[in-house]
Amino acid sequence: MGWLFVCFDLPVIEKWQMKEASKFRKNLLDLGYFMVQKSIYVRNCVSYEKTESHIKKVKSLAPQLGSILIFFITDKQWGNSTHIELTGYLKSLYSITGVTQHKLKSCYQ
């Protein structure tokens, strides 16, 4: 058993591109993938051989423009991965003003 990753970089400049990107993400969720990050989705696969059918489905749903990378890793490889989640992480230190901003910046240096 293993995991099939779909990583992509899709243009979202024009409104129609944004719609295609959103539709692609929704289709991945409908196919049983879950979102790891905004443009990285993963699903479990019973075997490496089973990945071919999943890859064909993703190819058929691919938007007109962009870059998509699909790869498979085993359960053991997934188990050896490291996940770091920063709780309380501030997405932008620049939205905070004054002394608080300075104190927070020094915490991250």
Side-chain angles (χ1 to χ4, degrees):
M1 182 156 157
W3 300 89
L4 190 64
F5 280 76
V6 178
C7 308
F8 52 91
D9 186 14
L10 303 177
V12 290
I13 305 297
E14 303 290 330
K15 192 168 189 168
W16 67 270
Q17 293 172 330
M18 290 179 207
K19 286 183 179 181
E20 279 199 347
S22 292
K23 184 179 177 183
F24 183 66
R25 286 185 186 94
K26 183 185 178 317
N27 285 331
L28 289 174
L29 293 171
D30 291 344
L31 290 173
Y33 289 83
F34 65 91
M35 185 175 73
V36 176
Q37 291 183 0
K38 185 77 171 170
S39 60
I40 301 174
Y41 287 69
V42 66
R43 69 160 290 143
N44 63 335
C45 277
V46 177
S47 67
Y48 179 74
E49 293 75 27
K50 192 75 171 158
T51 62
E52 289 303 317
S53 65
H54 292 293
I55 291 170
K56 285 179 186 175
K57 287 178 190 173
V58 171
K59 282 182 178 180
S60 73
L61 300 169
Q64 295 175 7
L65 301 172
S67 175
I68 301 172
L69 171 68
I70 303 171
F71 63 93
F72 178 86
I73 67 170
T74 65
D75 266 346
K76 184 174 182 174
Q77 290 168 318
W78 179 276
N80 288 334
S81 67
T82 301
H83 177 192
I84 301 169
E85 185 173 335
L86 304 173
T87 56
Y89 174 73
L90 297 174
K91 292 186 179 192
S92 175
L93 295 177
Y94 300 106
S95 65
I96 302 169
T97 58
V99 178
T100 308
Q101 181 179 6
H102 175 72
K103 286 180 182 177
L104 287 172
K105 277 187 178 179
S106 64
C107 290
Y108 290 99
Q109 293 176 350

